[in-house]
Amino acid sequence: MSFVAVRQTALAALRQYAVARLAFTRARCAGSVVLAFALTLGLVLAAAVDAAFSPAAAQSFTYNPRPPKPPPPRVANDNQMLVQATEVDYDYNSSRVSAVGNVQLFYNGTSVEADKVIYDQKTKRLHAEGNIRMTDADGKITYANSLDLSDNYRDGFVDSLRVETEDQTRMAATRADRSNGNYTVFENGVYTACAPCKDNPKKPPLWQVKGARIIHDQTEKMLYFENAQLEFFGVPLAYIPYFSTPDPTVKRKSGFLMPGFSQTAGYGFGVDIPYYWAIAPDYDATFTPRITSKQGVLLQTEFRQRLSNGTYQVRLYGIDQLNRNAFAGQPGDRQFRGGLDTKGQFAINDKWVWGWDGILLSDYTFLSDYRLAQYRDPFNSFMSLPTEAISQLYLTGVGSRSFFDVRAMHYLSFSGNQQTVPVVYPVLDYSNVLNHPVFGGEFSYKTNFVNLTREQAVFDPITQTANTAGLCTALSADPRARLPTQCLLRATPGTYTRLTAQAEWRRSYTDPYGQIWTPFAILRADAINANVSAQPGVGNFLQTGDTQALRLMPTIGLEYRYPFINVQPWGTTTIEPIAQVIIRPNESYAGKLPNEDAQSLVYDASNLFSVDKFSGYDRVEGGGRANVGVQATTQFDRGGTINVLFGQSYQLFGLNSFAVQDMNNTGIGSGLDKRASDYVARVDYSPNRTYTFSMRSRFDQQTLNVQRFEAEAKANFDRWSMALTYGNYAADPAIGYLNRREGILGSGSVKVAPNWVLTGAARWDLAANKINQYVIGAGYVDDCFVLAANYVTSYNYTAGATPPVLSHAYMLQIGLRTLATSSTNGAGGGLQ
C-alpha cells in the first residue's frame, strides 16, 4: 500500500468518525481505537525500531559467558497493526493527526509506547514525545524523550536516547541523528555493559565509555568512537582519541583485540598485538605478533575451523632472533626458532569420535623460553608446569556399558631428554559389561594392548652415594655401579609389546540372615614380547635381548559382608564386617619383565579390597590373599555423618608379588610386602555442609609406627573457604626417599566484598622447617568486569649451606565484557 493511499484511507476513516459526532471531541475512552491512520504511524515507527541503535561489542569473553538465548519467534509481516490510546484528534487547520495518552502501537513483533504521537501531513514528519519506549522483535529496547522521522523512514533524530540490548548492554546519548537510512550519529554518547545500581540508578556504573561522537554504521555493523574516555566509577582513567568495535549483534568481527604483555629474562618485555580475522562463518584466524625488547618480533598465527561434525585448529610460531646469545649454551642458541601445534576432534556418530593432537618444534625449550601454548600453565596451585607435550591420533567410542579407545602417541620432552620418552603406537583399551546376566551374575571383560619404543634407559638414584657420585645418571658411569642397590630402572630401552585380556564374573546375593555373599571368578592372560637393549647397567635389572612370555592368572574368590544396623533416637549406626578371600597361583615372571605402567603403588584404605592392587597391567598380583576389615557408618539426626574403615591384608600362600623386587622396586616398602600387611584406616566426618574432615593412615603392623598419614580439613562458608592438609610419610629407601617427609599445605579464599575475592596458599616443609612455596591472588568478578592477579613464589632448597633459589611468576588480567580483555604475565628465577 502506497503512502498516499494509506493517508487517504486514514482521512476517510477520520471523516466517517467525525460524522458519527465523535471526531472533533476528545473522546476519553479506555478501549482500543483501530484506525487506518494508525497503520501509517506504525509503519513509520516500525522503521524507527528497525533502525534502533546498538552499542559496541567486541568478541565475547570466556570469563563471563552468557548462555545463548533462543531467537524469538518471528511474527508474520501482515501489515496489520493495533493502536491503543486514550484520545485521538484530527486538526483540519494544521493537517495533523494526533494520538494522545498512553499510546501503544503493536506491529510485526514491534511495540511502541509514548505519551503522544503526531503525524504532520504538510511536512510528512512523524513525531513522538514523552516516555518513548520501542521494543523490537529481538528484544532490544530503545528509550527517548522525543523522536522525529521523515515519511521515507530513513532520516530523523531522537533526543535523550537510551538503548538496552538483549545481551544487557546499554547506551545513552543527548541526541541521535539518523541519515541515509544507515548512519546514526550519537552526540555525547555513553556505553556500558554494566547494570545500573538498583539502589541508586543515577550512580555511575563500574565502567563506561564516553564519546563526543559515536557513529553507528548499520551496514558494517560497526560502532566508531571519537574522543572517547574510559571511566571507572565515574572517574576518567584513559583517553582514547579513536577506536572502533562491532555492535552487539555481531558475534564475530575482524579487527584488533586487546594487547597482552609479558616479560622474561630471555626476550625481555613483550607486547602481543592480536588481530582477529573472521574469514567465514565456519572458520577464522588470529594473527598475534609479539614485539620483544631483546629478540625482535615473534609471529604467531592460529587458524580455527568448525565443520558439521567437529572442529580443528592449527597454531604456527616463528621468530628470527636478534640476540641468540641470550640463550647461549642452551637449545635456544640458534637464529630461527619456531613450532607448529594442532588439535582436532570429530564425531563419527553419537558414540564415536576421533581426533588428534600434534606438536613440532625447532628445539624443545622454545615453548618454555617464550611461554607459549601447551607450556603456558594458567597459574594453578604452585605453578606446576608440564614436562612433556604429546602428539597423538585417537579413536574413542562410548556405549551404555562399554568403552573403546585406541591411540598412537609420541611425547616431546621439555627437558631435552627426548631419547628417554617413549613412542607408543598403538595403545588400545576396550571394556564391556554384558546387559544380560550370565549364571545369574554380571559378566564383564576388558582388553589392553600396548606397543612402545624407547631409545635410552632412565635410571634414578636411591642412595646418597649414587646421587652425589652420579652413578645412575652419567652415561660414562661404570655399568657395575648401576646396581639395584643403588639405582632404579625407571624406563626400559628397546621395544615392549603386551596384549592383556581379562574376563570377570561376579554375583551377589543375601541370605535369610542378612549376610551378603559375593563369589567372583577372573581369568586373565598376558602375551608379552620384550626386546630390551643391552645398554650399560640394564642387564643388572632385566634380561636383555628378545624375551617372549605368556602369563596366565586364573582367580576365584569370595567376598562376605554382614551389616548390623542399630537405630537410636540420636541417629542410625551401621557396622559392617568385610572379608575377602582370593585364591590364585603365583605371578609368572615376577620382577623379570619391564614395568612401565604399574610403578605407582600406594596401599591405603581405598584399595584394601581390590583384587589386584597394582596400578597397571604390567604387574599382576598373585598368590592367595585375604583382605579383612570393618566399616562403620553413623548418620546423626543433627550431627552429620561419620564413616570409619579399618583393615589389614594377609598373604595366605604362594609368592607375595609385592615382596618381589622388580626394575623399580614396586611394592617394596609398600606395607604389602610381608605376610601380614600394615594396618590401614580411614575416617571421614561431615558434621554439616560447611565442614568436612578426613583422615587416611597406614601403621606398621608390628610397631604401630606411622608409615603414612594424611589429614585434611575443609570449611566453606558464604564468604570464605579454607582447606588445610597435613602429610607425614615415613622414609622409603627402596624408592629413593631416604628421610621422613612432613609438611602442611594450606589454602583459602575470602569474599571481602560482594564481588571481591582474595586467595592464598602456602606449603610448609616441616622437616626443613621452611616454607617452600606460596601463592597469593586477588580477583574481582561481576556481570561486566573481571580483574584477577596472581603471584607465585617457589623456593628450591639444596643440600649444604647453599641459599635457596627463588623463582617467581605473576599474572594480571583485566576484562571488560563485550569490549576487551588484556593480560600481563612474567616470570623470574635464580634469585637468592
Side-chain angles (χ1 to χ4, degrees):
M1 181 181 293
S2 67
F3 182 80
V4 175
V6 170
R7 185 174 61 182
Q8 291 174 348
T9 304
L11 293 176
L14 287 172
R15 291 190 183 100
Q16 184 178 2
Y17 190 50
V19 172
R21 305 182 60 84
L22 296 174
F24 302 121
T25 61
R26 294 182 177 270
R28 305 180 182 276
C29 61
S32 299
V33 181
V34 181
L35 301 171
F37 145 75
L39 179 59
T40 304
L41 294 180
L43 290 174
V44 176
L45 288 177
V49 176
D50 185 58
F53 317 112
S54 303
Q59 289 181 334
S60 298
F61 300 129
T62 58
Y63 69 79
N64 190 18
R66 292 181 176 271
K69 297 184 178 180
R74 287 291 180 183
V75 179
N77 187 7
D78 55 5
N79 290 331
Q80 299 297 316
M81 182 175 62
L82 173 66
V83 178
Q84 292 180 336
T86 304
E87 304 172 5
V88 176
D89 295 332
Y90 180 77
D91 187 342
Y92 278 108
N93 295 327
S94 60
S95 298
R96 290 185 176 182
V97 182
S98 304
V100 182
N102 298 322
V103 182
Q104 296 181 345
L105 298 93
F106 304 93
Y107 178 74
N108 287 344
T110 298
S111 66
V112 179
E113 303 173 32
D115 292 340
K116 187 176 183 179
V117 176
I118 303 172
Y119 176 69
D120 191 322
Q121 293 176 316
K122 294 180 180 180
T123 62
K124 296 183 180 181
R125 304 290 295 190
L126 178 73
H127 181 78
E129 59 185 36
N131 300 313
I132 300 172
R133 173 189 170 104
M134 299 186 294
T135 306
D136 65 11
D138 295 328
K140 182 169 55 183
I141 303 174
T142 302
Y143 300 90
N145 289 331
S146 66
L147 179 150
D148 189 283
L149 291 173
S150 63
D151 65 354
N152 59 7
Y153 320 142
R154 294 167 55 116
D155 304 326
F157 67 84
V158 180
D159 285 335
S160 301
L161 177 74
R162 183 163 57 93
V163 178
E164 294 182 1
T165 63
E166 184 72 6
D167 66 344
Q168 303 302 311
T169 59
R170 296 165 178 85
M171 176 174 283
T174 58
R175 178 185 175 94
D177 292 285
R178 180 174 173 77
S179 61
N180 298 326
N182 180 50
Y183 295 99
T184 304
V185 179
F186 299 85
E187 301 292 342
N188 300 319
V190 179
Y191 169 76
T192 183
C194 300
C197 178
K198 294 181 180 180
D199 299 330
N200 185 9
K202 295 183 178 181
K203 180 181 179 181
L206 191 151
W207 66 266
Q208 62 184 4
V209 179
K210 288 185 176 180
R213 291 208 320 161
I214 303 175
I215 303 172
H216 183 203
D217 188 330
Q218 280 190 286
T219 301
E220 295 184 358
K221 296 184 181 297
M222 289 291 295
L223 280 152
Y224 302 91
F225 290 75
E226 297 180 358
N227 295 323
Q229 64 183 19
L230 176 64
E231 295 183 356
F232 279 82
F233 300 104
V235 179
L237 293 183
Y239 171 75
I240 308 173
Y242 174 85
F243 79 94
S244 62
T245 183
D247 68 29
T249 64
V250 178
K251 302 305 179 184
R252 301 165 65 251
K253 184 73 172 181
S254 300
F256 286 98
L257 307 179
M258 287 296 291
F261 305 92
S262 59
Q263 180 269 329
T264 67
Y267 63 78
F269 292 95
V271 180
D272 289 11
I273 307 176
Y275 179 83
Y276 175 76
W277 182 18
I279 306 172
D282 58 331
Y283 56 93
D284 54 27
T286 303
F287 304 95
T288 311
R290 176 183 296 176
I291 303 174
T292 68
S293 59
K294 293 183 179 180
Q295 300 297 347
V297 180
L298 169 68
L299 299 178
Q300 307 173 66
T301 300
E302 182 175 357
F303 177 83
R304 299 164 294 268
Q305 184 171 16
R306 179 180 295 276
L307 302 177
S308 60
N309 62 337
T311 63
Y312 72 93
Q313 65 184 44
V314 180
R315 297 191 190 103
L316 294 172
Y317 313 94
I319 184 171
D320 188 3
Q321 297 188 133
L322 298 180
N323 181 20
R324 56 184 294 180
N325 292 329
F327 303 101
Q330 304 176 34
D333 186 4
R334 59 176 66 200
Q335 188 72 19
F336 175 82
R337 304 179 70 183
L340 179 149
D341 176 16
T342 178
K343 66 172 61 176
Q345 181 169 294
F346 297 88
I348 301 174
N349 52 40
D350 61 342
K351 294 182 175 61
W352 290 89
V353 297
W354 72 278
W356 73 85
D357 295 276
I359 187 167
L360 182 65
L361 301 176
S362 60
D363 58 274
Y364 60 84
T365 63
F366 173 66
L367 294 181
S368 59
D369 288 344
Y370 286 90
R371 302 197 67 79
L372 297 169
Q374 294 192 41
Y375 189 85
R376 184 173 55 237
D377 189 77
F379 289 82
N380 61 4
S381 298
F382 310 117
M383 203 182 67
S384 58
L385 294 174
T387 59
E388 297 168 346
I390 185 173
S391 297
Q392 61 179 339
L393 179 66
Y394 60 88
L395 172 67
T396 301
V398 179
S400 60
R401 304 187 72 185
S402 62
F403 174 78
F404 176 90
D405 184 88
V406 60
R407 58 189 64 209
M409 298 182 290
H410 178 273
Y411 294 93
L412 174 66
S413 173
F414 290 146
S415 61
N417 300 318
Q418 189 60 42
Q419 294 179 331
T420 64
V421 296
V423 177
V424 185
Y425 56 92
V427 56
L428 180 148
D429 283 285
Y430 175 66
S431 62
N432 185 33
V433 180
L434 298 186
N435 291 322
H436 54 84
V438 176
F439 298 112
E442 181 183 81
F443 183 83
S444 63
Y445 56 91
K446 59 183 178 180
T447 300
N448 175 265
F449 176 80
V450 64
N451 180 81
L452 65 85
T453 302
R454 182 184 289 106
E455 296 183 18
Q456 184 176 309
V458 178
F459 294 90
D460 277 349
I462 57 175
T463 66
Q464 189 63 43
T465 300
N467 186 38
T468 304
L471 301 180
C472 307
T473 57
L475 294 177
S476 59
D478 187 347
R480 292 172 296 179
R482 293 180 175 174
L483 299 173
T485 56
Q486 301 287 343
C487 312
L488 300 178
L489 179 59
R490 284 295 188 189
T492 308
T495 301
Y496 175 66
T497 305
R498 175 184 43 75
L499 173 62
T500 298
Q502 177 176 304
E504 180 176 353
W505 174 91
R506 65 173 53 232
R507 178 186 179 186
S508 294
Y509 66 93
T510 304
D511 64 18
Y513 299 99
Q515 301 174 105
I516 303 173
W517 305 84
T518 305
F520 56 88
I522 303 172
L523 178 61
R524 170 174 161 175
D526 300 281
I528 300 168
N529 181 79
N531 189 354
V532 180
S533 300
Q535 295 181 4
V538 174
N540 297 333
F541 296 82
L542 295 172
Q543 179 180 341
T544 59
D546 200 6
T547 301
Q548 290 82 32
L550 178 62
R551 186 170 59 192
L552 295 176
M553 182 57 66
T555 302
I556 60 173
L558 177 67
E559 183 178 282
Y560 170 82
R561 296 172 180 257
Y562 195 4
F564 297 89
I565 301 177
N566 180 264
V567 179
Q568 298 291 336
W570 45 263
T572 302
T573 299
T574 302
I575 300 177
E576 184 180 35
I578 307 173
Q580 194 179 65
V581 177
I582 303 169
I583 300 174
R584 59 198 163 194
N586 294 334
E587 177 188 6
S588 303
Y589 303 96
K592 298 180 180 179
L593 297 171
N595 178 7
E596 294 283 345
D597 70 350
Q599 298 185 15
S600 175
L601 175 61
V602 176
Y603 170 53
D604 58 17
S606 65
N607 57 5
L608 171 62
F609 295 102
S610 297
V611 177
D612 188 345
K613 296 179 177 59
F614 283 112
S615 59
Y617 289 97
D618 287 340
R619 292 292 304 273
V620 57
E621 185 179 345
R625 181 169 290 275
N627 303 312
V628 297
V630 60
Q631 180 174 241
T633 302
T634 298
Q635 177 69 54
F636 299 98
D637 285 348
R638 296 184 179 180
T641 303
I642 184 170
N643 176 267
V644 179
L645 176 64
F646 180 83
Q648 190 178 22
S649 182
Y650 300 90
Q651 181 69 20
L652 299 179
F653 58 84
L655 180 67
N656 187 343
S657 296
F658 304 105
V660 177
Q661 187 176 28
D662 64 5
M663 53 182 273
N664 40 57
N665 287 345
T666 303
I668 304 298
S670 66
L672 291 165
D673 53 342
K674 39 198 171 185
R675 180 167 293 275
S677 77
D678 290 345
Y679 299 107
V680 293
R682 181 194 68 217
V683 178
D684 294 320
Y685 176 50
S686 298
N688 48 46
R689 295 183 178 181
T690 301
Y691 302 99
T692 59
F693 303 93
S694 63
M695 182 274 294
R696 301 169 295 275
S697 61
R698 176 165 66 89
F699 304 93
D700 186 272
Q701 58 94 17
Q702 291 184 342
T703 64
L704 297 182
N705 291 333
V706 176
Q707 302 298 311
R708 187 180 185 90
F709 181 85
E710 294 174 338
E712 184 177 42
K714 294 182 179 180
N716 291 280
F717 294 90
D718 292 337
R719 296 184 55 188
W720 62 275
S721 64
M722 63 165 293
L724 188 66
T725 303
Y726 168 77
N728 190 337
Y729 311 99
D732 196 348
I735 56 176
Y737 293 106
L738 305 181
N739 302 304
R740 176 176 289 273
R741 294 154 291 152
E742 187 178 12
I744 296 177
L745 171 63
S747 62
S749 64
V750 57
K751 191 175 182 180
V752 296
N755 301 99
W756 282 96
V757 176
L758 299 179
T759 61
R763 189 171 68 190
W764 183 16
D765 186 340
L766 294 174
N769 197 24
K770 297 175 181 178
I771 294 179
N772 56 17
Q773 287 179 328
Y774 67 84
V775 56
I776 56 175
Y780 177 91
V781 180
D782 65 11
D783 62 336
C784 66
F785 179 69
V786 162
L787 173 66
N790 290 278
Y791 179 76
V792 181
T793 298
S794 176
Y795 294 92
N796 298 317
Y797 296 95
T798 57
T802 305
V805 177
L806 169 66
S807 62
H808 59 87
Y810 63 87
M811 180 178 180
L812 175 66
Q813 182 181 22
I814 299 176
L816 308 179
R817 187 175 72 86
T818 75
L819 274 188
T821 185
S822 180
S823 63
T824 301
N825 62 76
L831 303 179
Q832 297 182 348

PDB file of all heavy atoms in Angstrom, residues 59 222 246 250 252-256 275-279:
ATOM      1  N   GLN A  59      34.651  -9.209  20.699  1.00  0.00           N
ATOM      2  CA  GLN A  59      34.441 -10.648  20.874  1.00  0.00           C
ATOM      3  C   GLN A  59      34.099 -10.948  22.314  1.00  0.00           C
ATOM      4  O   GLN A  59      34.623 -10.360  23.241  1.00  0.00           O
ATOM      5  CB  GLN A  59      35.699 -11.414  20.492  1.00  0.00           C
ATOM      6  CG  GLN A  59      35.945 -11.386  18.999  1.00  0.00           C
ATOM      7  CD  GLN A  59      37.168 -12.175  18.664  1.00  0.00           C
ATOM      8  OE1 GLN A  59      38.045 -12.319  19.482  1.00  0.00           O
ATOM      9  NE2 GLN A  59      37.218 -12.692  17.476  1.00  0.00           N
ATOM     10  N   MET A 222      29.174  -1.731  12.729  1.00  0.00           N
ATOM     11  CA  MET A 222      30.320  -1.242  13.486  1.00  0.00           C
ATOM     12  C   MET A 222      29.945   0.031  14.236  1.00  0.00           C
ATOM     13  O   MET A 222      29.088   0.810  13.801  1.00  0.00           O
ATOM     14  CB  MET A 222      31.488  -0.941  12.550  1.00  0.00           C
ATOM     15  CG  MET A 222      32.147  -2.172  11.961  1.00  0.00           C
ATOM     16  SD  MET A 222      33.041  -3.137  13.208  1.00  0.00           S
ATOM     17  CE  MET A 222      34.335  -1.970  13.675  1.00  0.00           C
ATOM     18  N   PRO A 246      32.742  -3.894  16.909  1.00  0.00           N
ATOM     19  CA  PRO A 246      31.466  -4.367  16.349  1.00  0.00           C
ATOM     20  C   PRO A 246      30.309  -4.076  17.303  1.00  0.00           C
ATOM     21  O   PRO A 246      30.489  -3.957  18.513  1.00  0.00           O
ATOM     22  CB  PRO A 246      31.681  -5.878  16.196  1.00  0.00           C
ATOM     23  CG  PRO A 246      33.155  -6.065  16.215  1.00  0.00           C
ATOM     24  CD  PRO A 246      33.709  -4.993  17.085  1.00  0.00           C
ATOM     25  N   VAL A 250      26.835  -8.509  16.425  1.00  0.00           N
ATOM     26  CA  VAL A 250      27.900  -9.240  15.747  1.00  0.00           C
ATOM     27  C   VAL A 250      28.618 -10.123  16.757  1.00  0.00           C
ATOM     28  O   VAL A 250      29.110  -9.638  17.775  1.00  0.00           O
ATOM     29  CB  VAL A 250      28.899  -8.271  15.085  1.00  0.00           C
ATOM     30  CG1 VAL A 250      30.026  -9.046  14.420  1.00  0.00           C
ATOM     31  CG2 VAL A 250      28.189  -7.391  14.070  1.00  0.00           C
ATOM     32  N   ARG A 252      31.110 -12.326  15.660  1.00  0.00           N
ATOM     33  CA  ARG A 252      32.463 -12.475  15.122  1.00  0.00           C
ATOM     34  C   ARG A 252      32.702 -11.328  14.158  1.00  0.00           C
ATOM     35  O   ARG A 252      31.938 -11.118  13.230  1.00  0.00           O
ATOM     36  CB  ARG A 252      32.616 -13.821  14.407  1.00  0.00           C
ATOM     37  CG  ARG A 252      32.343 -15.009  15.293  1.00  0.00           C
ATOM     38  CD  ARG A 252      32.147 -16.283  14.496  1.00  0.00           C
ATOM     39  NE  ARG A 252      33.345 -16.696  13.789  1.00  0.00           N
ATOM     40  CZ  ARG A 252      33.503 -16.630  12.479  1.00  0.00           C
ATOM     41  NH1 ARG A 252      32.541 -16.144  11.720  1.00  0.00           N
ATOM     42  NH2 ARG A 252      34.617 -17.033  11.917  1.00  0.00           N
ATOM     43  N   LYS A 253      33.797 -10.592  14.371  1.00  0.00           N
ATOM     44  CA  LYS A 253      34.100  -9.443  13.531  1.00  0.00           C
ATOM     45  C   LYS A 253      35.605  -9.270  13.457  1.00  0.00           C
ATOM     46  O   LYS A 253      36.303  -9.334  14.467  1.00  0.00           O
ATOM     47  CB  LYS A 253      33.460  -8.175  14.109  1.00  0.00           C
ATOM     48  CG  LYS A 253      33.626  -6.936  13.254  1.00  0.00           C
ATOM     49  CD  LYS A 253      32.746  -6.984  12.026  1.00  0.00           C
ATOM     50  CE  LYS A 253      32.760  -5.660  11.273  1.00  0.00           C
ATOM     51  NZ  LYS A 253      31.892  -5.677  10.078  1.00  0.00           N
ATOM     52  N   SER A 254      36.112  -9.067  12.272  1.00  0.00           N
ATOM     53  CA  SER A 254      37.543  -8.855  12.108  1.00  0.00           C
ATOM     54  C   SER A 254      37.962  -7.551  12.775  1.00  0.00           C
ATOM     55  O   SER A 254      37.216  -6.566  12.771  1.00  0.00           O
ATOM     56  CB  SER A 254      37.902  -8.813  10.618  1.00  0.00           C
ATOM     57  OG  SER A 254      37.563 -10.016   9.974  1.00  0.00           O
ATOM     58  N   GLY A 255      39.161  -7.561  13.340  1.00  0.00           N
ATOM     59  CA  GLY A 255      39.676  -6.359  13.971  1.00  0.00           C
ATOM     60  C   GLY A 255      40.714  -6.688  15.019  1.00  0.00           C
ATOM     61  O   GLY A 255      40.986  -7.850  15.337  1.00  0.00           O
ATOM     62  N   PHE A 256      41.352  -5.646  15.544  1.00  0.00           N
ATOM     63  CA  PHE A 256      42.377  -5.811  16.565  1.00  0.00           C
ATOM     64  C   PHE A 256      41.733  -6.101  17.915  1.00  0.00           C
ATOM     65  O   PHE A 256      40.702  -5.524  18.266  1.00  0.00           O
ATOM     66  CB  PHE A 256      43.243  -4.549  16.671  1.00  0.00           C
ATOM     67  CG  PHE A 256      44.199  -4.389  15.525  1.00  0.00           C
ATOM     68  CD1 PHE A 256      43.881  -3.565  14.453  1.00  0.00           C
ATOM     69  CD2 PHE A 256      45.400  -5.068  15.514  1.00  0.00           C
ATOM     70  CE1 PHE A 256      44.756  -3.409  13.396  1.00  0.00           C
ATOM     71  CE2 PHE A 256      46.282  -4.920  14.458  1.00  0.00           C
ATOM     72  CZ  PHE A 256      45.958  -4.094  13.389  1.00  0.00           C
ATOM     73  N   TYR A 275      45.334  -9.711  16.090  1.00  0.00           N
ATOM     74  CA  TYR A 275      44.349  -9.285  15.097  1.00  0.00           C
ATOM     75  C   TYR A 275      43.483 -10.489  14.761  1.00  0.00           C
ATOM     76  O   TYR A 275      43.990 -11.543  14.359  1.00  0.00           O
ATOM     77  CB  TYR A 275      45.017  -8.760  13.832  1.00  0.00           C
ATOM     78  CG  TYR A 275      44.018  -8.332  12.769  1.00  0.00           C
ATOM     79  CD1 TYR A 275      43.436  -7.080  12.811  1.00  0.00           C
ATOM     80  CD2 TYR A 275      43.654  -9.204  11.744  1.00  0.00           C
ATOM     81  CE1 TYR A 275      42.506  -6.678  11.860  1.00  0.00           C
ATOM     82  CE2 TYR A 275      42.725  -8.810  10.777  1.00  0.00           C
ATOM     83  CZ  TYR A 275      42.156  -7.550  10.843  1.00  0.00           C
ATOM     84  OH  TYR A 275      41.236  -7.168   9.901  1.00  0.00           O
ATOM     85  N   TYR A 276      42.185 -10.324  14.936  1.00  0.00           N
ATOM     86  CA  TYR A 276      41.231 -11.398  14.660  1.00  0.00           C
ATOM     87  C   TYR A 276      40.626 -11.211  13.277  1.00  0.00           C
ATOM     88  O   TYR A 276      40.156 -10.123  12.932  1.00  0.00           O
ATOM     89  CB  TYR A 276      40.129 -11.396  15.718  1.00  0.00           C
ATOM     90  CG  TYR A 276      39.035 -12.403  15.456  1.00  0.00           C
ATOM     91  CD1 TYR A 276      39.234 -13.755  15.695  1.00  0.00           C
ATOM     92  CD2 TYR A 276      37.805 -11.991  14.956  1.00  0.00           C
ATOM     93  CE1 TYR A 276      38.234 -14.674  15.445  1.00  0.00           C
ATOM     94  CE2 TYR A 276      36.792 -12.908  14.707  1.00  0.00           C
ATOM     95  CZ  TYR A 276      37.021 -14.247  14.950  1.00  0.00           C
ATOM     96  OH  TYR A 276      36.035 -15.158  14.697  1.00  0.00           O
ATOM     97  N   TRP A 277      40.619 -12.294  12.491  1.00  0.00           N
ATOM     98  CA  TRP A 277      40.104 -12.249  11.128  1.00  0.00           C
ATOM     99  C   TRP A 277      38.962 -13.251  11.014  1.00  0.00           C
ATOM    100  O   TRP A 277      39.181 -14.460  11.039  1.00  0.00           O
ATOM    101  CB  TRP A 277      41.217 -12.579  10.128  1.00  0.00           C
ATOM    102  CG  TRP A 277      40.786 -12.501   8.686  1.00  0.00           C
ATOM    103  CD1 TRP A 277      39.695 -11.864   8.192  1.00  0.00           C
ATOM    104  CD2 TRP A 277      41.464 -13.084   7.558  1.00  0.00           C
ATOM    105  NE1 TRP A 277      39.637 -12.003   6.826  1.00  0.00           N
ATOM    106  CE2 TRP A 277      40.702 -12.744   6.403  1.00  0.00           C
ATOM    107  CE3 TRP A 277      42.620 -13.836   7.415  1.00  0.00           C
ATOM    108  CZ2 TRP A 277      41.070 -13.161   5.130  1.00  0.00           C
ATOM    109  CZ3 TRP A 277      42.987 -14.239   6.138  1.00  0.00           C
ATOM    110  CH2 TRP A 277      42.227 -13.902   5.015  1.00  0.00           C
ATOM    111  N   ALA A 278      37.740 -12.739  10.901  1.00  0.00           N
ATOM    112  CA  ALA A 278      36.566 -13.593  10.709  1.00  0.00           C
ATOM    113  C   ALA A 278      36.437 -13.893   9.222  1.00  0.00           C
ATOM    114  O   ALA A 278      35.740 -13.190   8.481  1.00  0.00           O
ATOM    115  CB  ALA A 278      35.316 -12.907  11.244  1.00  0.00           C
ATOM    116  N   ILE A 279      37.089 -14.938   8.784  1.00  0.00           N
ATOM    117  CA  ILE A 279      37.179 -15.222   7.352  1.00  0.00           C
ATOM    118  C   ILE A 279      35.828 -15.642   6.792  1.00  0.00           C
ATOM    119  O   ILE A 279      35.404 -15.193   5.732  1.00  0.00           O
ATOM    120  CB  ILE A 279      38.237 -16.310   7.104  1.00  0.00           C
ATOM    121  CG1 ILE A 279      39.565 -15.895   7.747  1.00  0.00           C
ATOM    122  CG2 ILE A 279      38.412 -16.562   5.615  1.00  0.00           C
ATOM    123  CD1 ILE A 279      40.616 -16.992   7.716  1.00  0.00           C
TER     124      ILE A 279
END
